[in-house]
Amino acid sequence: MRPAIRSAVTSDLEALVALDQICFGDPAWSAESWGAEFARLGTDRVVLVADEGDPVGYVVLLVPPVTEDPVELLRIAVSPAERRTGVGGQLMTAALQRCAGRTVLLEVAAGNKSAGALYRGFGFGEISRRRGYYAGGEDAVIMQWQEQHRLERVDE
Ligand SMILES: CC(C)(COP(=O)(O)OP(=O)(O)OC[C@H]1O[C@@H](n2cnc3c(N)ncnc32)[C@H](O)[C@@H]1OP(=O)(O)O)[C@@H](O)C(=O)NCCC(=O)NCCS
């Protein structure tokens, strides 16, 4: 069954806090941080949920009201049990459909091969790098997408 992709509602908060903990462990956002994200729904945050009865994935976007300002993809994750089944791609497609005419930026750890492959497949390209940005000295890679890229995956 393919999950439905829908906008988050207040009642998703608890499940997303738990799923974030499973997906990220220690660097997960706290319940307070998630609460702050949900408080901004309808202003400058978009949270999309992959729903299979329970949430199995999510993406968080910062969408500034000034359209010249870039959108930031703050977070995307899929339940470990559901990975490599296309859910991340479904979430990216739905997120980028909301970014018509906009530039989208994100930051990813250089060693995060799965996320890097996902982003490159959707047309994101590296525009800069923060060397040694993460604890342990790993680089942060800044990637950019612009609307002229195709929304479907680009096969390499
Ligand atoms: C990154 C992530 C969201 C991808 O979700 P997913 O549901 O597995 O992605 P999909 O199944 O839609 O895969 C789409 C494409 O991404 C790439 N990809 C995904 N996981 C990959 C992996 N482990 N290795 C190589 N490529 C990978 C592939 O190109 C894949 O297409 P394919 O399966 O046809 O080869 C998921 O791995 C995840 O939750 N990671 C932990 C959280 C994280 O690091 N988030 C990013 C930082 S916020």
Side-chain angles (χ1 to χ4, degrees):
M1 181 177 84
R2 309 282 298 167
I5 308 298
R6 60 167 176 80
S7 297
V9 292
T10 311
S11 57
D12 291 317
L13 179 55
E14 196 177 328
L16 290 193
V17 171
L19 184 56
D20 200 53
Q21 184 67 45
I22 291 167
C23 290
F24 288 98
D26 272 348
W29 287 348
S30 66
E32 290 71 27
S33 297
W34 273 105
E37 296 298 314
F38 270 62
R40 292 168 73 159
L41 293 176
T43 58
D44 68 350
R45 287 295 193 281
V46 170
V47 180
L48 302 178
V49 174
D51 187 341
E52 274 186 9
D54 292 313
V56 294
Y58 53 90
V59 57
V60 182
L61 301 170
L62 189 171
V63 184
V66 177
T67 55
E68 289 75 20
D69 292 349
V71 173
E72 289 186 48
L73 193 155
L74 299 177
R75 209 157 183 83
I76 183 168
V78 171
S79 164
E82 304 285 336
R83 288 180 193 162
R84 295 311 289 267
T85 65
V87 179
Q90 277 186 267
L91 285 163
M92 284 295 291
T93 299
L96 294 177
Q97 282 170 344
R98 285 163 171 75
C99 297
R102 310 278 300 237
T103 295
V104 183
L105 297 176
L106 59 80
E107 180 191 295
V108 61
N112 190 341
K113 301 294 179 210
S114 50
L118 175 70
Y119 301 148
R120 280 191 300 280
F122 275 85
F124 280 82
E126 178 174 341
I127 56 164
S128 69
R129 204 168 256 258
R130 296 186 184 126
R131 298 200 187 278
Y133 179 77
Y134 294 110
E138 190 174 11
D139 291 351
V141 178
I142 315 301
M143 302 184 84
Q144 176 177 283
W145 173 93
Q146 284 170 318
E147 200 209 354
Q148 65 263 30
H149 291 290
R150 294 172 9 202
L151 288 185
E152 70 271 25
R153 287 185 48 206
V154 178
D155 289 319
E156 292 172 22

